[in-house]
Amino acid sequence: MDISVLTLFPGMFAGPMDQSILGRAQERGLVSIALYNIRDFAQDRHHVVDDTPFGGGPGMVMKPEPLFLAVEAVRAELAERRGAVAADDSPVILLSPQGRPFTQVVARELAAHDALVFICGRYEGVDARAEDVLATDVISIGDYVLTGGEIPAMAVIDAVVRLLPGVLGDDASAVEESFSDGLLEGPTYTRPAEYRGMTAPEILLSGDHGAVARWRRRQALLRTWQRRPDLLASADLSDEDRAYLRELESGGEPQ
Ligand code: SAM
């Protein structure tokens, strides 16, 4: 996957994008992350990228010209590497608190593309013409306001890249974890089996794979019911799952 990020602060990406799983994914050629400094596309002598809002109001707004030129330059580079069709089909994602909520479903949807372009806003955000014309998607990472789109872009990139085939050591990790089937993952344990008097559930040490799978499913249902009951409405549930949830609703002993 080809990822292009337009930002005023490319230095913020060093570290989070270069280490651990994302760093290895880049080294192995599974993903490339190219950073573009929006300031380099400002054409005036002082490389000004922001201006005061028309009509007054606090703060500054990111000017449209550098953003249009930057997206055009990225598209041209993508077209050279992947062809015009792929470049035209690549989503251009503006990070904004006003965007559609980012979820695991959206991460999976984005992971199906060969290339993604991210625009990180700053200040009071970007000129509305850049949002209306350049962005094919607007994504929010939550109902709170951050100082810029860099951390949201990194969150989205991290969630997407770990879904790409071959990126995780064990691809099953991405299948069995929270949200993969609409449920939270249940509790996990590792050695030692007993620590300060607290023991890991015996069933996990039993070697009975069927019993372990059933226990895990119930724990996932229980945890989701306790912590995020809103997820249950759209989760993928079997008749057995529903029967267990009815037991929980009627005050049955969780097991
Ligand atoms: N004035 C804007 C508003 O009220 O919607 C907020 C601008 S915010 C201070 C600056 C930039 O940070 C935004 O343009 C966006 O790129 C990014 N940002 C802030 N919070 C975000 C969030 N929850 N999700 C995605 N991007 C966010």
Side-chain angles (χ1 to χ4, degrees):
M1 173 180 271
D2 243 311
I3 294 180
S4 312
V5 184
L6 278 55
T7 168
L8 287 170
F9 298 98
M12 285 182 70
F13 289 78
M17 298 290 101
D18 294 345
Q19 305 200 18
S20 183
I21 292 174
L22 266 73
R24 281 199 298 279
Q26 289 182 81
E27 281 161 23
R28 291 163 58 207
L30 299 171
V31 64
S32 79
I33 303 176
L35 302 169
Y36 296 83
N37 192 332
I38 297 166
R39 201 170 289 284
D40 294 342
F41 297 88
Q43 291 193 310
D44 67 296
R45 207 152 50 94
H46 299 292
H47 294 284
V48 174
V49 290
D50 58 334
D51 208 334
T52 52
F54 280 139
M60 301 295 271
V61 177
M62 285 175 73
K63 289 162 70 60
E65 310 96 305
L67 290 168
F68 273 79
L69 292 175
V71 171
E72 283 159 12
V74 168
R75 276 206 190 285
E77 282 184 28
L78 272 177
E80 249 174 54
R81 281 203 302 279
R82 294 190 169 261
V85 177
D88 285 348
D89 285 352
S90 305
V92 176
I93 301 157
L94 173 70
L95 285 312
S96 164
Q98 302 177 19
R100 62 176 174 142
F102 186 58
T103 62
Q104 192 66 14
V105 172
V106 178
R108 248 181 262 131
E109 182 194 311
L110 297 180
H113 290 274
D114 292 333
L116 300 173
V117 180
F118 291 91
I119 303 175
C120 305
R122 277 273 153 180
Y123 317 123
E124 288 307 314
V126 304
D127 183 286
R129 289 162 292 187
E131 171 166 351
D132 294 346
V133 175
L134 295 177
T136 60
D137 199 352
V138 184
I139 287 182
S140 165
I141 62 158
D143 290 344
Y144 41 81
V145 179
L146 299 168
T147 52
E150 287 75 14
I151 289 172
M154 286 188 252
V156 173
I157 292 169
D158 188 290
V160 169
V161 170
R162 65 192 291 286
L163 295 177
L164 300 178
V167 167
L168 294 183
D170 179 357
D171 281 341
S173 308
V175 174
E176 286 171 13
E177 68 197 354
S178 291
F179 306 112
S180 57
D181 57 1
L183 298 177
L184 301 182
E185 190 179 46
T188 53
Y189 299 84
T190 187
R191 272 177 275 278
E194 186 185 337
Y195 179 66
R196 297 190 179 189
M198 298 174 284
T199 52
E202 237 169 70
I203 196 157
L204 295 177
L205 311 172
S206 68
D208 180 340
H209 299 302
V212 169
R214 270 193 306 282
W215 182 86
R216 286 201 169 132
R217 183 72 188 170
R218 289 193 161 205
Q219 290 296 314
L221 288 163
L222 175 61
R223 192 163 267 201
T224 309
W225 181 75
Q226 287 170 329
R227 298 184 184 188
R228 290 292 307 276
D230 56 300
L231 294 176
L232 291 170
S234 51
D236 198 0
L237 301 176
S238 67
D239 290 345
E240 197 182 329
D241 293 338
R242 289 179 202 286
Y244 180 60
L245 287 169
R246 278 196 299 276
E247 234 176 87
L248 292 176
E249 290 293 347
S250 63
E253 192 62 21
Q255 31 168 311

